[in-house]
Amino acid sequence: MADEEKTTETAEAPKPKAPRKRATAKVEKQHDPLQVPYFDAAGEQQGEVALPKTIFAERPNVAVMHQAYVRQMANARQGNASTKTRATVSGGGAKPYRQKGTGRARHGSIREPSMKGGGKVFGPKPRDYTQRMPKQMRRLALRSALSQKAIDGQVRVIETFGFEEPKTGAAANLLETIGFDNTTLVVLPAPNLVVSRSFENLATSKIVLARNMNIRDLFTYTYLLLAKDSIELLVENFQRRSRVGGKHDHDHEEEAAE
């Protein structure tokens, strides 16, 4: 009987499960934000082009971008608003009515701040709203904004503009062919009257030179269309500068660019 019980227990014992093989998860290759579409003059895509890391690989600094934007908006203010106090407003030399017996509050001039047409209390005066910001911080803000554009996939590069004469319709067709469905900032390496006249009547686009790149335009316009020759100027003007002994080491900068 004991042998039969042992045999039954052995038969009913569950078999050990084979170890499961770990499923290897397929990792999708992420697209490099520095690889952006490249178009010819007709608006046809000709592959991709690599953006320089010295400009478009900056870690976006939100605080510096905000400070640069506020500074630019403040510096654009004229600051010529002016009001007159009771000392400068004309009239009001005589006492308007007697001191007592009228039942009204006593007044010594019709140009008091409490009277209609009187002077203003603490009103605006001409002033300078200019804010200062170190050049390195301004460049950091621009690199941060440009890098954010690249991360969001809003940067396109075009070889050249093939406009023979100013044509607003040709500029609109070019933007539509490239696939822009929102506002566009077009960056040129040098002034070009034909291209500027073609885009200036489009409410959704603006022309800016590479050396005049600013944080306000980058925040205002969604897409960035770069002429190929303007990329070198962006690197030349806005890349991070290295200092040796308190002065710019240009030789070191050239080696870093290479």
Side-chain angles (χ1 to χ4, degrees), residues 84-153:
K84 293 183 178 181
T85 64
R86 63 177 298 173
T88 55
V89 71
S90 60
K95 188 175 177 66
Y97 49 82
R98 61 185 184 180
Q99 181 82 351
K100 295 179 179 297
T102 63
R104 300 180 60 184
R106 54 193 176 185
H107 288 285
S109 173
I110 60 173
R111 297 311 180 198
E112 293 176 3
S114 59
M115 303 290 284
K116 181 180 179 180
K120 301 297 180 182
V121 181
F122 303 127
K125 288 292 183 181
R127 54 166 292 189
D128 184 11
Y129 289 92
T130 302
Q131 297 182 13
R132 300 185 62 185
M133 189 175 184
K135 184 183 295 185
Q136 296 294 343
M137 291 182 67
R138 300 198 302 268
R139 289 175 175 169
L140 174 59
L142 286 172
R143 292 197 304 270
S144 298
L146 291 171
S147 299
Q148 188 62 53
K149 289 285 188 187
I151 293 173
D152 295 338

Side-chain angles (χ1 to χ4, degrees), residues 14 19 31 47 65 102 126 128 132 150 169 171 188 194 205 217 233 235 251 256:
H31 180 71
M65 286 191 291
T102 63
D128 184 11
R132 300 185 62 185
L188 299 179
V194 175
S205 65
D217 286 339
L233 294 176
V235 175
D251 296 335

